[in-house]
Amino acid sequence: MNYKDRLTRVSSHVMTLTGFFHGVIRMDTAAPAEARTNVVRYHILKCLERQAPHHLTEISATLNVKKNTLSELLDRMVRAGLVDRTQTPADRRMTFLGITAAGRAAIREFEKGLMTNIGDFLETLEEDDRRDLVQAIESLIRILTRHDRKSSKYFAF
């Protein structure tokens, strides 16, 4: 059986995997709604952390998020102190976006919660299953990272 047939056979399980990863993502419900870091905010912050400052258009293209949706999210993130917005002196209509110290702290807190939840889940598995799952995830990351240019429209690494 070729790889396309094999992928077709397991494609229905992709949503199950998506649900698994979504389930381990920690949502800090104790924090005010404006300051909570969810998956989309996390990806925006990581994008800004990797290569700031950015323009709205660049982030929109990188994360494949509509500009108006992204603009609303960024407005909330600016109000929460996670992102700063600076106007270009030459053209006041052009703004740069950057991550703040609070934004970096939100990334670390999100990742800490994520790792706690993943660790808790892994503890429920038998040693062999735990090893196999970690190896499978490492393989996925290695493959997707190696083909980052091809996969960048699908994944934000």
Side-chain angles (χ1 to χ4, degrees), residues 21 29 32-33 38 42 48 51 60 72-73 84 86 89 132 145 153:
F21 286 111
T29 55
N38 62 26
Y42 173 77
L48 290 172
Q51 192 177 4
S60 175
E72 291 172 21
L73 283 167
D84 59 16
T86 310
D132 291 348
T145 302
K153 84 177 218 183

Side-chain angles (χ1 to χ4, degrees), residues 127-142:
E127 183 62 34
D128 289 348
D129 290 339
R130 188 173 24 237
R131 184 191 64 245
D132 291 348
L133 181 59
V134 170
Q135 286 176 344
I137 292 170
E138 288 172 342
S139 292
L140 283 169
I141 292 168
R142 179 180 41 77

Side-chain angles (χ1 to χ4, degrees), residues 35-37 42 45 82 100-111:
R36 273 186 222 139
T37 301
Y42 173 77
L45 291 171
L82 303 173
T100 65
R104 290 182 204 290
I107 287 172
R108 301 304 160 249
E109 187 64 27
F110 183 88
E111 289 172 346

Side-chain angles (χ1 to χ4, degrees), residues 14-33:
V14 170
M15 291 310 291
T16 302
L17 286 171
T18 302
F20 162 74
F21 286 111
H22 182 71
V24 298
I25 294 171
R26 179 173 158 257
M27 299 297 288
D28 187 359
T29 55

